[in-house]
Amino acid sequence: MTELTWSVSWETELADAAHGPLAALLARAYAGHAARFTDGRSWAGARPELRVVARDAATPVAHAGIVRRFLRALPAGPDVLVGDVGLVAVDPEHHHRGLGTALMARVVDVLVDLDVPFGFVSCGPDVEPFYRAAGWTRLPGVAVHLIDTHHRLRADTDPTMVHAAGRPLSAWPAAQVFARDGQLV
Ligand SMILES: CC(C)(COP(=O)(O)OP(=O)(O)OC[C@H]1O[C@@H](n2cnc3c(N)ncnc32)[C@H](O)[C@@H]1OP(=O)(O)O)[C@@H](O)C(=O)NCCC(=O)NCCS
């Protein structure tokens, strides 16, 4: 493996031609959902606002998408601005070399640069240990009302992971239910 090149790209500044290789990476990483990423479609639900990508020469080998959005803490607020992170993927040929951890550290750096208070990820229980190992914290007993990739409303009790960016985690609202009024990234 040559030295990796990292980039941070806004969605409207990414060339059309970049999406095919990103979709191919996502299909490799999310092998059970590869059909979502056909025809150069490099997103599953919401399109990222910006993407953090590592490339080995020209080939993407790690990717994360970020959308800034407000979550509503229910029932009484406050709203909280987060960098909603998804499409976290490392090429299977590069797993367990610390690349995913490096990716998530870059995501936090980006959020700090953007002055976004917190990083936010909903993940499956199986990958919670990865986020924990990367320094993310699970919010215990939290449910998230969200719109899934099929545009259906869902109350999600999968692990909700957060990371301090522009603010300390002690500033995270104490609520047990959050509404994310937008599609999963
Ligand atoms: C999750 C993923 C990004 C991890 O990438 P990676 O580069 O292998 O991660 P790292 O090497 O930095 O892993 C650091 C530690 O996290 C944990 N970890 C890594 N992958 C894990 C996984 N899939 N499940 C649970 N824990 C995991 C391990 O403790 C690992 O340490 P180890 O390698 O010494 O065992 C990668 O497995 C992937 O792309 N999976 C498919 C897509 C996916 O599930 N994304 C997350 C969706 S929310």
Side-chain angles (χ1 to χ4, degrees):
M1 184 169 69
T2 53
E3 198 169 328
L4 299 181
T5 313
W6 289 88
S7 65
V8 179
S9 309
W10 293 101
E11 198 67 354
T12 54
E13 294 172 0
L14 201 57
D16 286 343
H19 289 282
L22 291 177
L25 165 63
L26 293 166
R28 286 196 298 280
Y30 292 90
H33 299 283
R36 286 180 182 167
F37 304 110
T38 48
D39 299 328
R41 185 187 153 107
S42 64
W43 58 92
R47 273 182 81 151
E49 212 184 356
L50 70 169
R51 301 175 188 252
V52 181
V53 180
R55 290 184 175 80
D56 181 5
T59 306
V61 293
H63 172 277
I66 304 171
V67 173
R68 292 170 294 180
R69 67 164 103 245
F70 283 96
L71 304 179
R72 289 183 296 120
L74 299 176
D79 294 350
V80 57
L81 175 62
V82 299
D84 194 358
V85 181
L87 298 170
V88 173
V90 169
D91 190 311
E93 289 189 9
H94 297 264
H95 281 178
H96 295 294
R97 297 180 191 167
L99 187 48
T101 303
L103 174 70
M104 295 311 293
R106 297 223 174 210
V107 164
V108 172
D109 288 347
V110 168
L111 298 179
V112 170
D113 286 349
L114 291 172
D115 202 19
V116 172
F118 304 104
F120 179 89
V121 175
S122 296
C123 70
D126 51 327
V127 283
E128 181 188 338
F130 161 69
Y131 289 104
R132 280 191 188 275
W136 291 61
T137 301
R138 181 169 180 174
L139 297 173
V142 159
V144 180
H145 296 178
L146 58 80
I147 299 165
D148 71 15
T149 53
H150 304 286
H151 299 276
R152 288 186 296 244
L153 293 177
R154 202 168 83 203
D156 192 1
T157 53
D158 273 350
T160 297
M161 312 300 294
V162 291
H163 199 293
R167 301 280 301 280
L169 267 193
S170 55
W172 183 266
Q176 295 300 117
V177 181
F178 291 87
R180 173 210 254 158
D181 296 296
Q183 245 193 327
L184 278 168
V185 183

